[in-house]
Every structure is written in structure tokens, then in C-alpha cells.
Amino acid sequence: MSATTPPMQAGTRKDKPVVQADERVRRVSPWRSFVNRPEFGSIAGTVLVFVLFGIFAGDSGMFHLDGVMNWAQVAAYLGIIAVGACLLMIAGEFDLSIGSMIGFAGMMMAVPSMFLHWPMWLSVLFAFAGCMALGWLNGYLVMRTKLPSFILTLAFMFILRGLTLVLSTYFSNSTIVSGVGEKVSGDPVVSALFQGSTLHGVFTWLAQIGVIDKLPDGEPIVAGLPKVLLWWLLMAVVAGFMLSRTRFGNWIFIVGGDAAAAQNVGVPVRRVKISLFVFTAFCACLFGMLQVADVGSAAADRGLQKEFEAIIAAVIGGALLTGGYGSVLGACFGALIFGVVQIGISYTSFDADWYRVFLGAMLLLAVLFNHYVRLHATRSK
């Protein structure tokens, strides 16, 4: 031992080694975590839209109960198909036949019941089965041919629109099949599921105690909660839970991020994507059933351009066109923005022609914002 080095005394404690923190585990503030979520842009956009209409249409009746129900129903119809479009986009695919399938589903419901004298419940089942089979065919062809889903579903968009027109003109000599509403009312199951509103007693009681306004005859100004809102809520909850809490939801994100890598680790890419095409067709058919039951007729032009509105709602909600990123909640907020703007602009002094301009600006801002958030999140990893 060197003379300059003192001997170690018995019982002397050795210095503890310094443990460096794992740089892969970092504490992220709740605000930053929220900002990096895909639905942040749509939530911020929704707040902005409500503020703007609160300023320009706050005293016009837009936010009275009957006004709320007007724009909420528009949002609910779009929200149903936006949920399906969002999941499919997260998986890296598109379905441009959604809008045409809405009209086709309505015609598949109306023609058998009105001209072939099928029971209404059987016509509804037939419509759902036919649309979901077409959704499966869409998915199968995309996976089989490896062609872009944009091209294949664009072809089906024209095919279904043409078939809808052929069916309506062949059986009714018109582009509209009327009288379906009475048939729906005569079927207790179909009527209970798709037609009108519910919770009538609750709204009547609220009118009696003065919570909501009444008509001159004493009836509430809103008869009940439209069933399309319940279907929208159900679809959003089920799809949101599946996407965020199940293995299949993880598969959707993985498939959309890198399908080849997902295939290599054992993810059933083919089954995931085909299932989502079927689900998107189900959403389109549900839209068609609710619309026919509500309006009372089927028309060949129903669902026109709804495929683009559903995609726009999903993009505003944070879904990337390249796949692998998105949120069901964000898509629902995107649909809500559509409903508020489409109906709310009629409560203001603005020209209704500005509706498309505003939505286009919202889409552009959403795409730019989502691009910025994605780059920021990537750099921070």
C-alpha cells in the first residue's frame, strides 16, 4: 500500500454508484400529453366554432333546444359514417363508396318491402347483409389485387350509384320510392330501432316543470331524443373502446403504420383490413336505414358526397391520410363541426354559400396542424 494512501478503516461506507436515469422514460406534463393527442385539433376547432356562432348567432335560437337538435342530428348522421371511415383510415385504407352505399342501402330496404311485399324486418336484414357483403368484396379485392383502395372503391362508388338508379327507375319509374315510412311504422321492431325519437315522457315532464319550452297545445317543443343520436353515441363508444382497449385496436394502428412489419410479427393484416371494410359498409347501411325511416322515402341521390365529408371529419379529427394515427373521438368532434357549421350558418346573416369555404379552410388548418403535431411528436422521441 502506498504511503500516501490512507488505509481504509473498518466499517467505512463505500460511496454508492451513481444511477443514471433511463432517457427512454421521461415525465410528460398532462398539457403536453393532451396537445399531442390526435383529437386535440378537432376539440380546439369545436371550441372555436362554438365561440364564433355564440357571437354571431347567440340570440337567434341556434342554441335553444330545438336548434340544438337540428345541428346535432346532422352531426350524428355524419358521425356514424365518420367512425367507420376513421378506423379504416387508421388502418391505411379509404372507402369512397360510402356515400353511394347509403343510397343503395335505402333502395335495398325500400324495393323489397314496397314492390316484393317482404316484411320490413326482412328487408332491413337483406340491406345490411348486402351492404356488408359488398364491404367484404371491397376489402377482398384490395387485399387480393394490392391495388390502392382509393381506385377500387372509386369504381364501386359509380357502380353502386348506378345500381341504385336502375333499381329505383325499374320498380317505381322514378328516382324516389315513397311510402316506406308507413311500412316502417307498421313494424314494431324496425320502428323501435330506427324511426323517430325516444324518451318522450322525459321531455314531456321537462316541459311541464318549465325546463324546456312548450308549444301552444302544451306539448314540448322537442318531442324526444332522436334515435340517430343514440346510434351515434353507441357506435362511437363501441369503436372507441375497441380501438383503445383491445388487441384488435392495436392491430389497426400497427397495420396502418407498417403493414409489412405487422405481417412479419404475426398480425393478421388481411383479416383486419377486410373487417374494417365490412364495418364501414355497416355504418353506411345504418345511415341509410335511419335516413329512410326518418324521411319516409328512399331516393337514388341519397348520400351524395358523404364519403368525402366522412373522410374530412376523420382528418379534422386527427387521422392521417398515411394511416397509423387517429382517434374515434376526434372524428366525432369533426362531425360535430360539420353539423354546427352546416345548420348554424342559416342562423346568421352570412351567405350559406360560405359553408363550403369554411369547411375547406377547416380541413386545411386541420391537415397543417396534424402535420405539425406529428413532426413535433416524432422529434421529441
Side-chain angles (χ1 to χ4, degrees):
M1 180 180 297
S2 172
T4 59
T5 303
M8 182 176 292
Q9 301 294 327
T12 301
R13 181 176 59 85
K14 296 182 179 180
D15 293 336
K16 293 183 178 179
V18 178
V19 179
Q20 295 182 352
D22 190 345
E23 63 179 6
R24 296 171 299 175
V25 180
R26 292 178 298 175
R27 181 171 297 178
V28 180
S29 66
W31 170 249
R32 184 175 180 181
S33 177
F34 175 62
V35 169
N36 287 335
R37 291 187 62 84
E39 63 267 16
F40 172 75
S42 60
I43 294 175
T46 302
V47 173
L48 176 61
V49 166
F50 273 105
V51 169
L52 290 176
F53 281 100
I55 295 173
F56 293 103
D59 56 350
S60 63
M62 176 181 173
F63 296 103
H64 294 170
L65 184 59
D66 53 340
V68 170
M69 289 299 176
N70 286 335
W71 50 258
Q73 286 188 73
V74 174
Y77 274 110
L78 180 59
I80 289 173
I81 55 175
V83 168
C86 177
L87 293 181
L88 192 59
M89 287 177 64
I90 294 174
E93 303 293 346
F94 294 93
D95 189 350
L96 295 183
S97 67
I98 296 176
S100 298
M101 196 167 291
I102 291 172
F104 183 69
M107 204 59 64
M108 289 180 71
M109 173 188 179
V111 168
S113 61
M114 298 300 297
F115 300 102
L116 304 181
H117 308 294
W118 289 15
M120 180 55 68
W121 63 267
L122 183 59
S123 299
V124 170
L125 289 179
F126 174 69
F128 273 107
C131 288
M132 293 171 71
L134 288 171
W136 178 89
L137 182 60
N138 269 334
Y140 173 79
L141 290 177
V142 168
M143 298 306 299
R144 180 72 175 179
T145 63
K146 306 300 182 182
L147 290 172
S149 55
F150 180 91
I151 300 299
L152 280 172
T153 58
L154 181 65
F156 270 91
M157 179 181 76
F158 288 103
I159 291 172
L160 293 179
R161 187 65 68 186
L163 285 175
T164 305
L165 185 62
V166 168
L167 285 173
S168 62
T169 54
Y170 178 80
F171 284 97
S172 66
N173 293 322
S174 173
T175 58
I176 299 177
V177 177
S178 303
V180 188
E182 290 78 4
K183 289 278 189 176
V184 173
S185 301
D187 190 305
V189 176
V190 176
S191 176
L193 288 175
F194 304 113
Q195 192 174 51
S197 56
T198 187
L199 301 178
H200 308 285
V202 174
F203 280 77
T204 301
W205 174 72
L206 291 175
Q208 291 174 352
I209 64 176
V211 175
I212 61 176
D213 296 333
K214 292 187 292 186
L215 297 172
D217 60 358
E219 291 295 317
I221 193 170
V222 175
L225 188 68
K227 290 176 183 175
V228 64
L229 291 174
L230 297 180
W231 276 107
W232 182 29
L233 178 62
L234 176 63
M235 299 294 289
V237 170
V238 171
F241 177 83
M242 182 271 297
L243 185 64
S244 61
R245 301 292 182 181
T246 67
R247 182 175 61 177
F248 189 81
N250 290 332
W251 287 350
I252 295 174
F253 283 109
I254 297 171
V255 166
D258 191 332
Q263 187 76 49
N264 292 335
V265 298
V267 175
V269 175
R270 180 191 183 97
R271 177 156 60 92
V272 170
K273 291 195 175 186
I274 292 178
S275 299
L276 292 177
F277 274 103
V278 173
F279 178 70
T280 304
F282 173 85
C283 293
C285 186
L286 178 60
F287 184 117
M289 299 298 100
L290 289 165
Q291 189 177 58
V292 169
D294 183 43
V295 178
S297 63
D301 62 347
R302 295 275 169 78
L304 192 65
Q305 294 187 345
K306 288 299 179 183
E307 60 275 355
F308 299 110
E309 293 184 5
I311 292 173
I312 292 172
V315 171
I316 293 175
L320 293 180
L321 299 176
T322 53
Y325 191 77
S327 164
V328 171
L329 179 61
C332 291
F333 274 105
L336 182 60
I337 291 175
F338 264 82
V340 173
V341 174
Q342 182 174 344
I343 302 299
I345 201 168
S346 63
Y347 286 91
T348 67
S349 58
F350 295 112
D351 191 338
D353 293 336
W354 285 96
Y355 163 65
R356 297 290 177 184
V357 176
F358 185 85
L359 288 181
M362 286 293 299
L363 174 62
L364 178 61
L365 290 174
V367 171
L368 294 176
F369 180 82
N370 292 340
H371 178 68
Y372 168 77
V373 170
R374 185 60 178 257
L375 287 180
H376 181 71
T378 303
R379 290 170 183 171
S380 62
K381 291 181 179 179

